[in-house]
Amino acid sequence: MTPANTLSFPDNLFFTRLQQSAHHLLLLDYDGTLSPFVEDRFKASPYPGVTELLGAILDQPRSRLVIITGRPISEIQPLLNMSPGPEIWGAHGWQRLLPDGTLEQFPLPPETDKILTLVRLKLLEQVPVEKIDVKPGSVAVHWRGLSEEKRRAFSRHARHACSPYQEHKDLALQEFDGGLELRVKGRD
């Protein structure tokens, strides 16, 4: 690994321009980019060496590093285990953690928090609590690693719980790799 203050780049135009620029910005997704997709999302640790590389980037005075995730910031911080840590945008843009530790929580449109709570309660009737992910601005059902039969059942239950709100102007039902999520529109 290259020491933090002497990062070097291959010889091509992009990296030459990058090296010569006054400031750098690197935006990285967490799941599937910095860490593998895993069945238990609380065990999605970064790939070996990733936190050291991120630390080296943070040490560069001209660089800004931002981690972007659909997860709540409170889930990402212990997985990254970095101090000081990078700027993090979480919960699909409804949260922002600045490098100095300041947490910004953006307000949801009126009524949507109540709807998300109702959907969560409906989901709890059919889906185990550990497969339900509640975060600012969304509620999701995860089925990664489950049998095809359970995946279909969880999908059916999730669609049924969300169906009364699919046409709501502030909400969108979205599939993702391993689940389904009812999300507040406006940030991503």
Side-chain angles (χ1 to χ4, degrees), residues 80 125 143:
L80 278 173
E125 295 172 8
W143 52 66

Side-chain angles (χ1 to χ4, degrees), residues 102-182:
T102 303
L103 178 64
E104 297 175 346
Q105 179 78 41
F106 300 99
L108 297 172
E111 185 185 329
T112 55
D113 200 36
K114 181 180 174 182
I115 291 171
L116 294 175
T117 299
L118 292 171
V119 169
R120 178 182 170 271
L121 293 172
K122 186 73 172 166
L123 287 170
L124 284 170
E125 295 172 8
Q126 302 289 330
V127 177
V129 67
E130 65 272 9
K131 295 298 182 183
I132 301 171
D133 186 10
V134 178
K135 38 195 164 177
S138 71
V139 62
V141 174
H142 293 264
W143 52 66
R144 183 174 290 114
L146 298 180
S147 69
E148 184 62 25
E149 179 183 346
K150 284 206 181 243
R151 188 203 65 76
R152 280 195 306 270
F154 284 11
S155 176
R156 187 173 52 254
H157 297 314
R159 289 178 192 287
H160 176 72
C162 295
S163 64
Y165 312 105
Q166 284 182 303
E167 301 301 319
H168 191 281
K169 66 179 177 59
D170 292 323
L171 297 168
L173 187 61
Q174 297 182 332
E175 289 190 42
F176 61 91
D177 182 13
L180 188 71
E181 181 170 49
L182 184 64

Side-chain angles (χ1 to χ4, degrees), residues 65-127:
L65 172 65
V66 181
I67 307 299
I68 302 168
T69 181
R71 293 176 183 243
I73 288 172
S74 61
E75 285 184 22
I76 293 299
Q77 286 181 292
L79 292 170
L80 278 173
N81 193 26
M82 293 179 67
S83 182
E87 179 177 342
I88 303 173
W89 282 81
H92 301 294
W94 292 101
Q95 296 178 317
R96 179 183 182 200
L97 180 69
L98 299 172
D100 69 3
T102 303
L103 178 64
E104 297 175 346
Q105 179 78 41
F106 300 99
L108 297 172
E111 185 185 329
T112 55
D113 200 36
K114 181 180 174 182
I115 291 171
L116 294 175
T117 299
L118 292 171
V119 169
R120 178 182 170 271
L121 293 172
K122 186 73 172 166
L123 287 170
L124 284 170
E125 295 172 8
Q126 302 289 330
V127 177

